[in-house]
Amino acid sequence: MQDIIIALDGYSGCGKSSTAKAVAHTLQYTYLDSGAMYRAVTLYFLRKRVNIDSSVEVKKALQDIQIHFSRSQDKQKNETYLNGENVEEEIRKMEVSEHVSAISAIAEVRQQMVKQQRALGQDKRVVMDGRDIGSNVFPDAELKIFMTADIRVRAERRQKELADKGVKVEVEDIARNLQERDRIDSSRSQNPLVKTADAIEIDTSNLNFDEQVAEVVKLAKEKINA
Ligand code: DC
């Protein structure tokens, strides 16, 4: 038996976070949502109207940002805190989704987040989802998964998630946001979203949730017991 790092990367809205969370739960590993960190930075930048073209302003803002995760009262989920405030709900809103790719493309933002992510994973036994986890944050991760899914399927799933929270958004608007984020995330110069040669691709278009979790757990157990 060995402790491993599981890196779960892929396009927006493929079910990475929910899969990673369930896999971590099954293996009794820690789930770390790297996207939530970029979302928290984005929320701070929006609130403080940070000028992202000014590297002085960006650096100053980053010095004032503390992000941590903490278990919810019912222990069911890990929630994101920005300078001590629980921002878990707020960072999922469309306004943050619309700006997060541009802000996460800034070199200084990435350097700071990657440093924190590496520290969080230093003892292994983590499942971290994001865009550059296997390619940049943990290039030596024992298991790398690259998730994909048809854009229509992704948009419909996201629409349902939002509807469950009482938020009504047109499926076309969601699809447009997902595609735009994929474009920016894949084409940025700093740690773009790429499938590494050693990553295993899982297309979730025709898988249900339990199937996609089972697939990743099976692959993880092979590595843990290798
Ligand atoms: O996983 P998510 O959709 O919550 O991520 C939000 C954004 O954060 C995503 O569009 C790009 C950025 N991100 C990133 O650049 N690198 C990561 N490792 C994770 C997320």
Side-chain angles (χ1 to χ4, degrees), residues 12 34-35 38-39 92 100-101 104 110 130-133 181 185 188:
S12 293
S34 69
Y38 291 101
R39 286 174 179 272
R92 310 290 162 192
V100 65
S101 285
S104 59
R110 299 208 71 78
R131 304 293 185 292
D132 63 336
I133 309 305
R181 279 164 59 199
D185 296 345
R188 68 178 174 227

Side-chain angles (χ1 to χ4, degrees), residues 69-112:
F69 295 104
S70 186
R71 277 240 163 260
S72 58
Q73 279 192 340
D74 60 9
K75 306 256 184 280
Q76 294 300 305
K77 54 181 191 163
N78 242 351
E79 295 180 319
T80 313
Y81 284 75
L82 168 64
N83 294 338
E85 174 192 351
N86 184 340
V87 291
E88 186 57 37
E89 294 250 314
E90 199 144 2
I91 59 171
R92 310 290 162 192
K93 294 191 174 154
M94 273 306 255
E95 201 199 351
V96 171
S97 297
E98 273 161 12
H99 292 88
V100 65
S101 285
I103 289 172
S104 59
I106 301 169
E108 289 88 353
V109 171
R110 299 208 71 78
Q111 279 155 18
Q112 182 144 327

Side-chain angles (χ1 to χ4, degrees), residues 7 20 43 51 57 63 72-73 98 100-101 110 112 124-125 132 141 144 156 167 186 194 217:
L43 179 63
N51 174 6
E57 272 198 38
Q63 280 173 2
S72 58
Q73 279 192 340
E98 273 161 12
V100 65
S101 285
R110 299 208 71 78
Q112 182 144 327
K124 301 209 175 185
R125 298 181 65 86
D132 63 336
K144 299 181 187 177
E156 282 170 2
V167 182
S186 306
V194 283
V217 168

Side-chain angles (χ1 to χ4, degrees), residues 45 49-52 54-62:
F45 277 35
R49 299 181 194 278
V50 175
N51 174 6
I52 63 170
S54 156
S55 89
V56 174
E57 272 198 38
V58 167
K59 282 186 191 146
K60 160 89 187 59
L62 284 169

Side-chain angles (χ1 to χ4, degrees), residues 87-173:
V87 291
E88 186 57 37
E89 294 250 314
E90 199 144 2
I91 59 171
R92 310 290 162 192
K93 294 191 174 154
M94 273 306 255
E95 201 199 351
V96 171
S97 297
E98 273 161 12
H99 292 88
V100 65
S101 285
I103 289 172
S104 59
I106 301 169
E108 289 88 353
V109 171
R110 299 208 71 78
Q111 279 155 18
Q112 182 144 327
M113 292 306 110
V114 169
K115 203 158 98 190
Q116 290 185 25
Q117 289 154 11
R118 288 189 179 138
L120 289 167
Q122 65 183 359
D123 294 331
K124 301 209 175 185
R125 298 181 65 86
V126 294
V127 186
M128 192 177 289
D129 80 312
R131 304 293 185 292
D132 63 336
I133 309 305
S135 60
N136 174 52
V137 180
F138 296 118
D140 296 329
E142 288 80 2
L143 178 61
K144 299 181 187 177
I145 306 287
F146 190 86
M147 271 191 159
T148 63
D150 181 82
I151 182 68
R152 184 81 200 175
V153 173
R154 291 195 264 150
E156 282 170 2
R157 284 182 188 159
R158 180 57 57 92
Q159 187 188 41
K160 186 171 175 307
E161 262 171 41
L162 290 168
D164 289 347
K165 291 184 193 158
V167 182
K168 199 168 167 277
V169 188
E170 295 298 327
V171 78
E172 286 73 21
D173 291 339

Side-chain angles (χ1 to χ4, degrees), residues 26-44:
T26 307
L27 298 174
Q28 299 200 336
Y29 271 33
T30 300
Y31 163 59
L32 290 167
D33 178 352
S34 69
M37 299 171 76
Y38 291 101
R39 286 174 179 272
V41 171
T42 301
L43 179 63
Y44 183 92

